Amino acid sequence: MSLTVQGFMLIDVDVAALNNAGKDTSTTLENAVATKKVNKGGRTYAYVSGQAWRYWWRETLKKDFGWNMSPVTREKKIAFTEANPVVYDDDDMFGYMRAAKEGKKNITLTRVSPLKNSALISVSPTNIVQNWSSMSRQEGDAVPYGKDEYCATMKGMFSIALDQVGTFSSEDRTGFKNFNDALAKLAIENGADLIDDPFAKDKKGDPLKLHRLEKPVRVRRVLDTLLALEILSGGAMQTTNMGDVTPKLMVLTMLNSGNHPFSHLAKDDLGKPVFSVPALKQVIADYAGRIPGKVCIGRRMGFMDELEEDLKTFADADHVFYGSICDAVREFVKEIETSIP
């Protein structure tokens, strides 16, 4: 059975500017930076791109978990990693594309990331203000500049396809050729097994083969990825607009499908972001037959404290766990260790 980790989280920041969008052309200031924002229903929402969130995630895994990160090569207008998921942890979890040719033969390697994530977007419309700042340490006049700032509770979703972690295809088809002969040989030398591909067959109708790394490697990569959320850090303008981007509320579970059911757990209520326990209960009831283990809910005390009694009442020993963010993540990873194939 193919299992997918499904996660939902809220972060909460004050006077932040987490992801900027370059020069602000709507102001008379010569030096002004705009934050990323999007309009929906005529209202403005601040957001952090999915790419920026992934960058924070990578950097946390590199600095705090000692991940062996794939070096990046830049050629003219393109850049690519080593595309070696046997050696480099991030090439496995975050995917890659390395376009190349030998003569007229296409030898491009690609890997769809087992880790997928949304953008982080404010739950409620955001009042983004441009504040005036200045560089004034030098002699003479100060040099003014402007920057967008906001307070927001932001939501995001992510998933991890457990059967894809550490598992690689050599099928000569766009999007599926993760490995070449050299990588296949290296994988076997490092203890990888050959397993049947459940979705692809050769011309004779026999299953194609996948290379799968040893289980301890795959388990470590998944657990590190989840545990990194406890200490996630990042965001633009951290020197003067430092924001805590660790989750303040999180929901984690596994589904035996890739569908993500948690997109509408948070909503706007007349300008106030709220988390809907009834919506969570409905999702869990609707997908009960597809959730093989626990639903783990974590909340940081001081954030949405009005949820405490409802979440405590909802929790039960067998199916729903409720505790702090770190407790919820660590309870969930216990289930992961026994669920990775």
Side-chain angles (χ1 to χ4, degrees):
M1 179 173 60
S2 176
L3 294 176
T4 304
V5 172
Q6 304 288 12
F8 171 91
M9 58 185 255
L10 295 176
I11 68 170
D12 188 60
V13 291
D14 293 320
V15 197
L18 294 177
N19 194 192
N20 291 324
K23 181 176 174 58
D24 187 351
T25 57
S26 66
T27 177
T28 56
L29 287 174
E30 292 185 10
N31 300 314
V33 178
T35 195
K36 287 195 173 179
K37 50 188 174 287
V38 66
N39 291 321
K40 181 179 180 181
R43 299 187 293 181
T44 301
Y45 297 80
Y47 79 95
V48 174
S49 71
Q51 183 180 14
W53 184 7
R54 290 173 80 82
Y55 176 77
W56 305 347
W57 219 328
R58 280 178 189 262
E59 289 297 295
T60 301
L61 287 163
K62 176 183 176 181
K63 294 174 182 176
D64 295 282
F65 292 83
W67 269 30
N68 191 16
M69 295 303 196
S70 187
V72 176
T73 301
R74 180 164 185 170
E75 293 182 358
K76 297 181 180 179
K77 294 184 179 181
I78 64 171
F80 47 85
T81 69
E82 287 293 298
N84 183 344
V86 179
V87 174
Y88 300 110
D89 300 311
D90 63 326
D91 272 345
D92 182 6
M93 290 299 301
F94 289 83
Y96 50 81
M97 177 176 180
R98 182 165 186 165
K101 285 189 175 182
E102 284 183 354
K104 294 184 178 180
K105 184 180 179 183
N106 185 358
I107 57 169
T108 296
L109 297 179
T110 58
R111 172 163 173 76
V112 175
S113 171
L115 171 65
K116 300 173 179 64
N117 61 276
S118 68
L120 295 167
I121 185 166
S122 59
V123 177
S124 295
T126 316
N127 182 24
I128 300 171
V129 297
Q130 185 175 89
N131 283 325
W132 185 91
S133 300
S134 68
M135 170 60 175
S136 54
R137 287 181 293 169
Q138 75 287 354
E139 293 184 6
D141 295 336
V143 179
Y145 63 95
K147 56 183 179 179
D148 282 354
E149 297 170 328
Y150 53 82
C151 298
T153 297
M154 309 179 91
K155 65 179 180 178
M157 302 178 295
F158 64 90
S159 67
I160 303 172
L162 295 180
D163 63 334
Q164 293 179 19
V165 177
T167 305
F168 311 103
S169 166
S170 299
E171 185 181 355
D172 194 9
R173 184 158 64 101
T174 301
F176 290 84
K177 192 170 181 60
N178 312 146
F179 262 19
N180 54 26
D181 291 343
L183 285 172
K185 182 174 182 290
L186 181 64
I188 295 297
E189 289 172 352
N190 281 268
D193 293 321
L194 282 174
I195 64 171
D196 288 343
D197 187 334
F199 304 109
K201 299 182 184 299
D202 61 20
K203 293 179 180 179
K204 296 179 180 179
D206 297 323
L208 294 177
K209 296 296 182 181
L210 301 172
H211 288 80
R212 173 164 281 172
L213 302 183
E214 293 180 299
K215 186 170 181 176
V217 175
R218 292 181 283 120
V219 170
R220 175 182 59 80
R221 287 174 175 176
V222 174
L223 267 56
D224 285 355
T225 301
L226 291 167
L227 291 167
L229 291 170
E230 298 179 355
I231 51 173
L232 188 69
S233 63
M237 298 189 179
Q238 287 287 301
T239 303
T240 55
N241 292 77
M242 186 174 71
D244 177 5
V245 297
T246 57
K248 302 304 175 293
L249 190 149
M250 180 181 286
V251 180
L252 291 166
T253 195
M254 285 183 290
L255 263 70
N256 62 4
S257 74
N259 177 59
H260 204 303
F262 294 144
S263 60
H264 287 74
L265 297 185
K267 62 179 182 178
D268 171 59
D269 183 9
L270 300 177
K272 178 183 178 181
V274 296
F275 179 83
S276 175
V277 177
L280 176 61
K281 290 179 179 179
Q282 184 188 67
V283 168
I284 293 173
D286 283 351
Y287 289 88
R290 292 188 171 274
I291 299 175
K294 288 184 179 180
V295 176
C296 293
I297 306 165
R299 186 181 65 84
R300 180 76 55 82
M301 294 294 289
F303 177 76
M304 294 189 176
D305 285 340
E306 67 274 10
L307 298 173
E308 179 71 7
E309 290 307 313
D310 282 348
L311 290 176
K312 268 187 175 180
T313 303
F314 182 39
D316 65 76
D318 296 326
H319 304 293
V320 179
F321 174 89
Y322 171 60
S324 70
I325 292 291
C326 293
D327 286 344
V329 172
R330 294 177 191 205
E331 181 70 20
F332 184 67
V333 299
K334 293 178 187 176
E335 300 224 322
I336 292 293
E337 290 182 272
T338 60
S339 301
I340 292 179

